[in-house]
Amino acid sequence: MRVMAQLAMVMNLDKCIGCHTCSVTCKQAWTNRGGVEYAWFNNVETRPGQGYPRQYQDQEKWKGGWALTKRGKLTLRSGSRLRRLLNIFANPDLPAVADYYEPWTYDYQNLLSAPPSDTTPTAKPKSSITGEDTKVTWGANWDDDLGGGPEQIGKDPLLGKLSEQVKLEFEQTFMFYLPRICEHCLNPSCAASCPSGAIYKRAEDGIVLVDQDKCRGWRQCVTGCPYKKIYFNHKTGKAEKCTFCYPRVEVGIPTVCSETCVGRLRYIGVLLYDADKVGEAASVRDEKDLYPAQLGVFLNPHDPRVVAEAERAGISGEWIEAAQNSPVYRLIVDYQLALPLHPEYRTMPMVWYVPPLSPVVDVLSQTGHDGEAVGNLFGAIDALRIPVEYLAELFTAGDVGPVRASLQRLAAMRAHMRKVNLGEDVDDSIAASVRLAPGEIESMYRLLAIAKYEDRYVIPGGATSDAHRLEAIATGCSLDGDGGPGMTAFDVMAEKFQLVDTNGAAPADKSRRINLLDWDGVSTEGMFPTDGNGAAVKGAAVKGAAHEPEAIG
């Protein structure tokens, strides 16, 4: 047994409203720069739909993840080392810009400077890459913009595996939202694909990162990642990806996407796992056995033997305690509600999902039946085979059993808690039907529905004592701007905080502005207009105000 610790995330899809707040805040924090305008470390997809980049789940086309040889050996789906070496200068398995989308802005200058005319001036879309006029035909959330229309639904790669009847009825069944970040896998195929060895998995917390010094821009990692969560910065020539906001989690703060999530659907915690079992679990023959195999890799943090081995491996007591209180462990192992995204890619993903029950409840309510009654819900889960089959293609390699079990536990929780909230007699058979005790059902409800901040994010703050050094790393991170390891150096902090007008749009007397983010609270220099001698005229904001005290006197 070789015990290692990993920070993991669970998302409750029942609570995602598709507001894209997580995507926007991640964009502002990590990819609001030239060269990665098209990149979204976090994106929210509408399901069913093609996803982002377009049809990324079609591994027959994109060759991502791992495949199992006839001898039972794992190999990259993109081919042997020789094949990848031959394609190193012209990789045929890369998504084009059109598969992501060509990022655009608008010709706002035309709106600001257009002369008087009889017609309203327009702002044409302009490519953020070439600066030329462009036509907007695709985007990171295009399926959402189209409202899950039948034209786009029919192009969903997962629906190709289902029956024609499922495809015909799907539009009338439901849609849901699927937020995605890098999976920070236990068996990352992106790292194995990189010829430069620039991608590595941190031993202390399992976060997968790109070393900007070593990256040479071969882009083999883009092909190797089946989730297509590695992006090529065409300006710097480097690969970039989700960092799990490591400067934040190192000091015990959740990721930006979690912190700003409107639905409070994300959970972050520590999982202990046996590193010696990862290869074996990823190599099981039947794809439907991959989910239980990965469950078998996780270790019980309450087991004294596991705790002893963890201490022997150098895992601190704070991390062990965090693993024992982890909401992620409870949702994945104890309640077995959360499921991995596409385990058939054999990367052993560490961002898991609680499947959505709400669409089933909504469809049931439309029939005039009680959508919260446990008998009706259980029957609807079995009868509405369309969502269960589709969810199984997403989370369990087509095995409907674990998906149905998870949905039944969610349904039992709804029915049980309704009786509790209405003051009715609790029916113990509801919890027993899903192999849980009434107390476990209520504990599950508290975690999923009303958990507080400290219950949703149990992140060990072992690096807090070194916070000042880590803060310097965070503010000077190579992903913050053009400067950084392997890139042209420039003062990132000056660009961030000195707020100097650089485009000449401000009047001459207001070309420098005060930034309240770093104001010392005392100095007033630059806050008020000055007279001819450079002295501040503090009453100039109100005409004649400077003379009022004398007049009153």
Side-chain angles (χ1 to χ4, degrees), residues 334-355:
D334 287 345
Y335 305 136
Q336 295 190 8
L337 291 174
L339 304 169
L341 182 64
H342 289 301
E344 68 272 20
Y345 298 159
R346 300 180 183 273
T347 59
M348 311 290 279
M350 292 302 284
V351 177
W352 289 40
Y353 297 86
V354 177

Side-chain angles (χ1 to χ4, degrees), residues 265-278:
L265 59 95
R266 300 182 188 232
Y267 301 81
I268 298 177
V270 176
L271 287 173
L272 301 180
Y273 68 96
D274 187 351
D276 290 335
K277 290 185 176 181
V278 171

Side-chain angles (χ1 to χ4, degrees), residues 15 21 27 32 56 113 157 178 185 221 246 281 290 306 347 392 395 397 420 452 462 536:
K15 300 173 73 174
T21 303
K27 185 73 173 175
N32 192 15
Y56 72 92
S113 59
L178 180 73
C185 308
C221 55
Y246 73 90
L290 285 165
V306 173
T347 59
F395 301 124
V420 171
K452 295 183 178 180

Side-chain angles (χ1 to χ4, degrees), residues 473-485:
I473 294 175
T475 54
C477 176
S478 59
L479 298 184
D480 271 357
D482 293 343

Side-chain angles (χ1 to χ4, degrees), residues 455-512:
D455 298 320
R456 288 182 285 123
Y457 310 127
V458 181
I459 306 170
T464 306
S465 59
D466 205 15
H468 294 296
R469 183 183 65 84
L470 295 172
E471 184 179 5
I473 294 175
T475 54
C477 176
S478 59
L479 298 184
D480 271 357
D482 293 343
M487 304 181 192
T488 304
F490 75 44
D491 191 350
V492 177
M493 294 302 290
E495 180 186 348
K496 274 188 174 182
F497 293 131
Q498 289 184 7
L499 295 187
V500 178
D501 181 70
T502 57
N503 58 15
D509 59 341
K510 296 183 179 179
S511 59
R512 290 194 65 87

Side-chain angles (χ1 to χ4, degrees), residues 10 15 19 21 40 53 98 122 183 274 351 360 363 398 439 487 544:
V10 168
K15 300 173 73 174
C19 66
T21 303
W40 295 82
T122 60
E183 297 288 327
D274 187 351
V351 177
V360 180
V363 172
M487 304 181 192

Side-chain angles (χ1 to χ4, degrees), residues 251-274:
V251 292
I253 306 173
T255 61
V256 168
C257 59
S258 300
E259 184 86 68
T260 59
C261 177
V262 173
R264 299 181 180 180
L265 59 95
R266 300 182 188 232
Y267 301 81
I268 298 177
V270 176
L271 287 173
L272 301 180
Y273 68 96
D274 187 351

